[in-house]
Amino acid sequence: MKLRLRSIAGPLNDQVIELDQSSVYVFGREPDKDGVAPITLDSKTVSRQHCQILYHSEDGFLIKDMNSSNGIRVNRRRVYEVPLKHNDVLQIGEYSFRVESIGEGDVALDTSSVKAEGPAAGATEKYDDSIVTGASKDRKSQLKSLTIKYWNRFEKLDLKIRALVLLLLATFVIHSIIFTPMLSDARFALLERAFETGRSLVNALAEKNRRELAEGTTGLLDCNILKSEDGVLEKFILDSRGKVLCPARGDMAFDRLSEVAMERNEALDSCRSDILFGNEVACDLVAPITEWDKNTNQYATIGAARIRYIPRASFDGLQNLQSLRWKTLLLAMLVILGVWWLLNRWIVRGLEITAENIHLVASGTAQTLENPESFAALHPLISEINRVISQRNQGVTRSASDQASEASFLQSILQQVLLLEERPVMIVDRENQIIAASTSLSSIVPVDVAEMNRHITESVADHHLQGDLMSLLNDLNGSNEVIDRALSTSDRVFQVRGLPLYLREEYVAAVLMF
């Protein structure tokens, strides 16, 4: 059996699509073009890959939903996969098609085979429990496998990257918590306003044709006052028995909605149930047309106006809000990435500066550091030297040779630190004894550094220099600032920088750099 689709509502305007058994037809806003026959439906109510029609040797032409947002409907019933038969009405977003057979031998469709979203009135759905259960188990197994796979990949990431991923995930969750109720409220408000517009449109259609219907001049009925730009897909004028009077060749099943509206003499619609709660893209609105009956002295229903309505403006607004949602999420994540990058750079730079400071102190090039606290790495060593020297001077607990050996060992360590110093350096403790000095010091300053732990007056031969050094050391004792001063001997003048060393806020020594 050959089939074709004839457009009966929507922008295609009575176009015909011939279906060939050897082709696969993909309908959508941006359908794939590789190996298939693409049918482009340019509307925001249609997903990029909405549905497909293909031929099956046993069932004939099948239509399958491709996980579209608004789904597909056959004879006003939402389906996932169903064979097509002659005279079926197919709805894809705001597009409607009538299925027409070409040739003889049309086969009736067993409605029990339709996989619908919900049961139709008076019908019972049939499912193969084993297939449903098996599919559910397969999905659970695949989900578990994917979870384990991506968790193992996540654990292999660097700690900083994992922290960034968790931060981005938290941003996504918080953003969703904020935006989801906002979008829900906006959707409700926009659609309710659109429904009011639809009710005013159907009432206008009823009022426009009231007189002609009452007078029986059906040839003057006008259904064209409503345009598709207003969101009206189909419009009908019905008589009191539900027969379509306008348009002249219009066809519409007289369903329960029209029947109840005319029985109650009350305007009814399915917009809230179909669109607001049913996730459909269009709804039906009915407005009864009444005329005063002189015999009964009351209004009698003589017909009804009915429209198929899609709130395009509301859908456009909701799509813009959805776009705004993802834009703000992207912006928030970009801000998080920027902050993370700056923080990472700040930490890396801080570690580099710390490493440089440690290197400067360890290599003896501490004269480039202006802050006395930068010499904190030398405090424990100097304190221990002072302790050993003090014990040796007081002659307590150990023999002089052992104490001298320990002091010499500690001083040799300090001497090795000063060996790398480019400028001559001398370290004097708070008792004004020289505890370490650069080997090059004696070639510049008349100071005897051959033997340590001697008072500065014993090591400096020049009396004028003795006085200047003692004055500088007295100023450094109790000061926490670097002091630059010019010192002189009997025949020359040189510059000295003095840095006080503190251990637990107690002055322990001074570093003199010549």
Side-chain angles (χ1 to χ4, degrees), residues 348-365:
V348 170
R349 183 55 185 160
L351 292 175
E352 290 175 353
I353 293 174
T354 302
E356 290 173 1
N357 291 344
I358 293 174
H359 171 74
L360 289 172
V361 171
S363 63
T365 56

Side-chain angles (χ1 to χ4, degrees), residues 289-304:
I289 302 175
T290 60
E291 181 69 15
W292 180 261
D293 189 345
K294 296 180 180 180
N295 296 326
T296 60
N297 290 326
Q298 61 182 3
Y299 283 100
T301 301
I302 59 174

